[in-house]
Amino acid sequence: MSSLAVRCLLSPLLPRSGSAVAVASCKSRSIRVHASMNSPPPPVAEFPYLPPAQRDLMVEVLSIVETGLGPQLLPSTVPSDVLSYQNPSGSAHGALDIRYGGRDSTVDFILESWLHCQIPTGALNIATLFVSLNSSTDAPHLLMEFIQGSPTSLVLLLDLIPRKDVVLHPDYLDEFYHQTDLDKQRQVLAKLPQTMLEEIIRGKLNMICKEIVQIWLRLCVKTKLLSEVDQDILVKRDSLIKSKAIEIDLEVNLPRMFTPEIASRVVREIKEAYKVQDSGKKFV
């Protein structure tokens, strides 16, 4: 029997714990995005270790996002030894690419990654797409991630990450979550039958994921001209969350999978995108 765990976190009032600890020793919340529209796709765009259905869906969603954002995205400047990397034994491989938004864009950066490593129970595969918006808007960020620990077990994280405390801002909850009927999509995903994963992914899951991404593109990628006070609060909130993600996840897990030198290179690129100051910490 196949197992599909769908964490479609489209309502920020739902529990949010577990995503960072589900695969504690190997999970990396690293991130990517396309080089130039006229150049060959980087290694991250290939998702070579994902099963066909997951790979096809990630590629399609990435295409939708990049087409929707279009000229807002700048070419990638990620070095080749971060675009693709592996540990000396060949038991762990990763790819990361990042593209920043242009001056007039609401996009701070778009990043995507995949991670593959051998674990005692087989192989762990993680594919991540994350679009972070800047402080010109308080609209939610976008996250889509597959975590697969076996051929018959899959976790999908699909999240519109709120930028405000929705309990204190019911108008924000209404604008980005209730009026768009996103929770109806979550309910459909939660009721999917536990059958063959390929059938689930290529069927309703595929359609719903792409529809949610289209909703995010239509609703969230627009400038709202926030006041300087609101922008300052937003920047501090985003920075705190991103700093903790790096500290708790990346800086703990990447050195275990790769060499300290490789982990340092990858973390440095992510810190730059996250606008988190590099402490100069050396991995051992």
Side-chain angles (χ1 to χ4, degrees):
M1 178 70 70
S2 299
S3 175
L4 172 64
V6 179
R7 290 183 59 86
C8 187
L9 305 179
L10 299 173
S11 167
L13 298 181
L14 294 174
R16 303 179 59 84
S17 62
S19 61
V21 298
V23 284
S25 65
C26 282
K27 184 170 185 308
S28 165
R29 190 74 60 177
S30 42
I31 330 170
R32 104 118 209 176
V33 182
H34 251 280
S36 167
M37 293 297 183
N38 298 320
S39 64
V44 71
E46 299 171 2
F47 302 106
Y49 293 96
L50 282 182
Q54 288 97 293
R55 181 173 63 245
D56 291 347
L57 178 54
M58 285 298 294
V59 170
E60 289 176 26
V61 168
L62 175 59
S63 176
I64 291 171
V65 170
E66 291 191 332
T67 299
L69 298 179
Q72 295 187 53
L73 298 177
L74 301 176
S76 170
T77 58
V78 174
S80 59
D81 57 3
V82 176
L83 283 172
S84 179
Y85 53 94
Q86 68 177 59
N87 65 5
S89 69
S91 62
H93 301 256
L96 166 71
D97 197 7
I98 299 172
R99 287 175 67 190
Y100 294 93
R103 178 178 298 179
D104 298 325
S105 172
T106 58
V107 176
D108 190 4
F109 59 84
I110 169 176
L111 41 354
E112 186 182 331
S113 73
W114 58 257
L115 186 67
H116 167 83
C117 68
Q118 296 297 322
I119 56 178
T121 57
L124 174 67
N125 293 303
I126 302 172
T128 305
L129 169 65
F130 177 48
V131 187
S132 176
L133 301 180
N134 59 36
S135 60
S136 67
T137 177
D138 59 8
H141 303 309
L142 174 67
L143 170 68
M144 179 173 172
E145 184 169 64
F146 279 118
I147 305 172
Q148 187 151 24
S150 78
T152 59
S153 177
L154 175 67
V155 175
L156 168 64
L157 303 178
L158 184 56
D159 199 357
L160 269 61
I161 303 174
R163 315 275 296 287
K164 289 186 175 182
D165 293 316
V166 294
V167 174
L168 302 177
H169 299 274
D171 55 332
Y172 187 91
L173 179 66
D174 185 61
E175 178 182 3
F176 292 111
Y177 301 93
H178 288 169
Q179 290 186 23
T180 54
D181 289 331
L182 286 174
D183 197 56
K184 291 182 179 179
Q185 306 283 17
R186 181 194 62 80
Q187 292 176 29
V188 172
L189 289 174
K191 294 177 182 178
L192 288 177
Q194 299 297 297
T195 58
M196 296 293 293
L197 289 182
E198 286 277 330
E199 296 177 4
I200 296 173
I201 296 167
R202 293 195 184 280
K204 193 167 290 289
L205 182 64
N206 183 292
M207 293 184 291
I208 290 177
C209 287
K210 289 187 284 189
E211 174 60 24
I212 290 170
V213 170
Q214 292 282 15
I215 290 173
W216 179 83
L217 282 169
R218 291 194 302 267
L219 182 65
C220 298
V221 187
K222 57 184 180 182
T223 303
K224 298 186 69 174
L225 299 176
L226 303 179
S227 70
E228 291 185 6
V229 173
D230 289 338
Q231 287 185 336
D232 184 57
I233 294 173
L234 204 62
V235 168
K236 289 179 180 179
R237 176 189 173 92
D238 280 350
S239 296
L240 176 61
I241 293 172
K242 291 173 180 176
S243 296
K244 288 300 180 181
I246 290 175
E247 176 186 343
I248 295 172
D249 194 352
L250 291 174
E251 291 186 336
V252 172
N253 294 318
L254 277 185
R256 297 176 180 176
M257 301 169 57
F258 303 93
T259 66
E261 180 184 2
I262 294 173
S264 294
R265 289 200 305 262
V266 175
V267 170
R268 184 166 57 247
E269 290 295 322
I270 296 171
K271 282 185 174 180
E272 183 176 343
Y274 279 11
K275 296 180 176 63
V276 172
Q277 184 175 2
D278 193 341
S279 63
K281 175 181 178 180
K282 295 185 181 299
F283 300 121
V284 294

